[in-house]
Every structure is written in C-alpha cells, then in structure tokens.
C-alpha cells in the first residue's frame, strides 16, 4: 500500500473536530480490508464550508466525507442531492461522490438501530419508545425508530415547544409529547433513549430526569453519550436491573454504514466498535 500517497481520500469535517474518533475507526477498517485510502479530520468553519465543497468536487481522489457539528444542516444547499431519509431527518452526516454527483445521506439513525440489534438483539418493531431531547440527534433517531415500526414514540424535552415542533415535523400519529415528570409513560416504555447532553463529562452525575425510580428490569435504557461511557442515567438504570447501551454503539453503527457507502465494502459493526474502544 502507498501509505504516504493513498489513492482514495476520506474525512470528517466539523468545528471543533480534534476530538473525533472517526479517523481511527475508518483507517483501521481500510487496513483490515487492504483498501488504499486515508481518512482525516478536517477543521472547517461555517464560512469556509462552500470553499471546502469546491475543493472536494475538484479532487478526484477525494471520494467522501462525514459531517459533524455544526454543519449537518447547513451543508445541504451545497450538495447535488440528498437521500429521502436525509430529507426527512433534515440533516446529512455522510457525503459521497456518485457518478460525478455530490450526494448526501444520513446514517445516524440507522446506525443507532443497528447498535440496538447488534448489542442487545433488540428489534423496536411493536415497542413503545421514549426519546428524551428534541435536538438534531433526537430527530435522526426518531425518524429511524418510526421507520423501524415502533408502536409509539413519546418525546420529552426541557423546552416543550421544541418537542411539539419535532412532533409536527415527524407528522406521524404514533408520536406524542409528554413532560419529564410523567412517570407512567416512562414506566410503560420498552426503550428510553437519552439524546440530551445532560450527563456529559462537564456535568457528570447530572441526570436528564428528576426521578429514576420508575426503571424496571423489563426495560432498555440507552444514552447516546459516550464520554463518560456510563452516565448517571445508565448507572441508575443498571441499579434497577434494566439493560443499558451507551453512545459508542451509535458511533460504530453510523460509521459502519457510512463506510459501506464510501467503499462499497461491508465492515462489521463489531469491528468498528472494537476500534472505538481501543482508541478511547
Ligand atoms: P444534538 O444535535 O446532540 O441533539 P442539540 O440539537 O443542541 O444537540 O440538542 C440538545 C438537547 O439537549 C435538547 O433537547 C436540549 O433541550 P432544550 O431543547 O430544552 O434546550 C437538551 N438539553 C441540553 N441541556 C439540557 C439540560 N440542562 N436539561 C435538559 N435538557 C437539556
């Protein structure tokens, strides 16, 4: 392999970007499958986004890239087209050149669903699901949960107006909005997903819900946070006998699906997850 001058170039762009675990995950997969490619982290500020796309279009070796905060929505006008799924979510996390066209996809929600099935054997079809939060992550997960035939989806958010806006955008009769204090809704759910930032390193030991006494052993509690690996939300869930899954799974899942879009080569979820664990 020509390691110093690889044939294919990939990247993740964002602002900030230095903390990204994606290069370690994708580069390990190229090595594993003997693909002559390199994946880099590129710091792109909002005002430089259009220039970046022009550079991407002009470079034949540059095949695709992932997008993280804050460009997942603002990148859309610069693309030649986006998938129906990305349109529905309103955000793009993966861009690939296909027959000279620059196309956008979203693998976040499907990556999340993949992590549930791979790690817990959980199929959300027919299940009652609660999502805590109403931001971009909540939206991509909500679309995939509904596509995966969940029986119902409750959105709970600190700012109820945002939850109502998300409900309106999803435009699906299975969706309702409740307050964090409606414990019966939480108790009756099979899967409760924290998509808020509460519990991240800086606010460790904080919990998105005022009360965790409703948790029982028949439930799965999921947090999309992976630093720390076990948030207070997940600790409390485990104490009450529930199954848990942290945010590393969604990162591995979206990465595995993006990898297949980039290279047309399949890579396993477990391979990506193990790379992430090693690079932490
Ligand atoms: P992301 O793209 O990761 O979803 P986001 O769009 O900024 O990020 O959304 C962050 C989510 O975390 C929101 O649902 C936010 O609630 P608000 O809509 O009320 O702002 C939620 N969040 C952030 N800090 C919170 C806190 N201290 N308590 C409760 N929810 C919080």
């Amino acid at each position: 392999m020509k390691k110093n001058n690889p044939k294919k170039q990939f990247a993740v762009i964002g602002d900030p970007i230095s903390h990204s675990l994606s290069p370690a995950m994708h580069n390990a997969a190229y090595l594993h499958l003997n693909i002559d490619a390199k994946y880099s982290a590129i710091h792109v500020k909002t005002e430089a986004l259009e220039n970046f796309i022009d550079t991407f279009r002009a470079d034949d070796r540059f095949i695709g890239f992932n997008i993280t905060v804050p460009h997942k929505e603002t990148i859309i006008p610069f693309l030649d087209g986006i998938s129906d799924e990305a349109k529905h979510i309103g955000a793009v996390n993966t861009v690939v050149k296909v027959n000279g066209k620059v196309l956008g996809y979203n693998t976040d929600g499907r990556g999340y669903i993949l992590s549930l099935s791979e790690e817990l054997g959980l199929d959300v079809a027919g299940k009652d699901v609660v999502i805590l939060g109403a931001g971009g992550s909540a939206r991509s997960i909500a679309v995939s949960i509904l596509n995966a035939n969940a029986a119902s989806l409750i959105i709970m958010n600190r700012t109820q107006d945002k939850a109502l806006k998300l409900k309106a955008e999803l435009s699906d009769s299975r969706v309702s909005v409740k307050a964090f204090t409606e414990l019966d809704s939480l108790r009756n759910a099979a899967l409760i997903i924290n998509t808020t930032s509460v519990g991240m390193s800086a606010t460790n030991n904080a919990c998105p819900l005022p009360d965790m006494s409703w948790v029982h052993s028949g439930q799965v509690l999921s947090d999309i946070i992976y630093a720390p690996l076990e948030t207070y939300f997940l600790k409390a869930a485990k104490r009450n006998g529930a199954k848990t899954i942290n945010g590393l799974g969604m990162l591995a899942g979206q990465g595995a699906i993006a990898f297949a879009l980039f290279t047309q080569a399949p890579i396993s979820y477990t391979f990506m997850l193990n790379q992430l664990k090693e690079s932490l």
Side-chain angles (χ1 to χ4, degrees), residues 42 48-49 57 59 63 110 144 149 160 201 221-222 227 232 241:
I42 305 178
L49 194 55
R57 280 183 192 277
D59 186 343
I63 310 295
R110 268 184 300 140
S144 293
N149 296 321
Q160 210 174 37
S201 314
L221 268 68
S222 158
Y232 180 85

Side-chain angles (χ1 to χ4, degrees), residues 141-174:
I141 290 174
V143 167
S144 293
I145 292 277
L146 294 169
N147 284 344
N149 296 321
S152 71
L153 175 62
I154 293 172
I155 302 166
M156 295 183 176
N157 193 47
R158 176 179 60 179
T159 313
Q160 210 174 37
D161 277 358
K162 282 197 205 160
L164 291 168
K165 186 167 173 275
L166 178 55
K167 173 181 149 63
E169 284 163 2
L170 291 168
S171 176
D172 188 306
S173 59
R174 290 171 291 172

Side-chain angles (χ1 to χ4, degrees), residues 23 26 28 32 48-49 56 68 71 74 110 121 125 141 144 152 156 165 175 183 193 233 251 260 275 277:
H26 284 265
H32 181 65
L49 194 55
F56 172 70
T68 187
H71 305 315
T74 45
R110 268 184 300 140
I141 290 174
S144 293
S152 71
M156 295 183 176
K165 186 167 173 275
V175 180
L183 300 189
I193 311 156
F233 179 71
L251 197 57
Q275 298 313 313
K277 284 180 180 166

Side-chain angles (χ1 to χ4, degrees), residues 69 133-138 157-159 162 180 195-198 208 224:
V69 179
S137 305
N157 193 47
R158 176 179 60 179
T159 313
K162 282 197 205 160
F180 282 145
T195 75
T196 78
S197 47
V198 183
I224 67 163

